[in-house]
Amino acid sequence: MSQQEIYQIAHQLKQQGKTPSVALIKSQLSVSMPLTAIIKGLQQWQKNPALGETKAEQPAETAAPADTNASADIATLNQQVTSLRQQVATMKVEIDELKNIIAELKAK
């Protein structure tokens, strides 16, 4: 699945009064994951236990900035796509010009 599943399992184990460990998390995963991924996920969760909280457990305030950030990210990506399309169009014109020059040189 994902790192989020590791965070959620660690959070659930902590709520049950258990100390999250690689073995406990591995035993509860819905899909087998490499040990390195489990270890990394557990370490990240230990640094920030809030990662394992479900959306219902998180305060409503934290959801709003994410939406704002997502909108800003989308706008930035749209600008980048527009810029890249313009660059591709310019390059196509240049390629056509080079093809014409090559054809002229071959004709000589």
Side-chain angles (χ1 to χ4, degrees), residues 7 11 14 28 33 48 50 54 67 72-74 79-80 83 86 90 98:
Y7 306 150
H11 182 72
K14 187 71 171 177
Q28 294 186 25
M33 292 181 73
N48 185 5
T54 60
D67 291 342
D73 289 344
I74 290 171
Q79 290 173 345
Q80 290 173 343
S83 173
Q86 290 171 347
T90 301
L98 289 171

Side-chain angles (χ1 to χ4, degrees), residues 2 5-6 9 24-33 38:
S2 68
E5 183 180 13
I6 293 171
I9 292 170
L24 284 173
I25 292 171
K26 183 175 174 67
S27 70
Q28 294 186 25
L29 285 170
S30 62
V31 177
S32 180
M33 292 181 73
I38 298 170

Side-chain angles (χ1 to χ4, degrees), residues 15-27:
Q15 285 184 324
Q16 295 169 2
K18 299 176 183 175
T19 301
S21 67
V22 173
L24 284 173
I25 292 171
K26 183 175 174 67
S27 70

Side-chain angles (χ1 to χ4, degrees), residues 18-79:
K18 299 176 183 175
T19 301
S21 67
V22 173
L24 284 173
I25 292 171
K26 183 175 174 67
S27 70
Q28 294 186 25
L29 285 170
S30 62
V31 177
S32 180
M33 292 181 73
L35 284 177
T36 54
I38 298 170
I39 292 167
K40 182 178 177 183
L42 178 58
Q43 289 172 340
Q44 289 173 340
W45 176 83
Q46 288 170 334
K47 291 178 186 174
N48 185 5
L51 291 172
E53 295 178 2
T54 60
K55 290 183 182 179
E57 294 173 319
Q58 294 175 350
E61 308 166 41
T62 59
D67 291 342
T68 304
N69 289 341
S71 296
D73 289 344
I74 290 171
T76 300
L77 290 173
N78 282 335
Q79 290 173 345

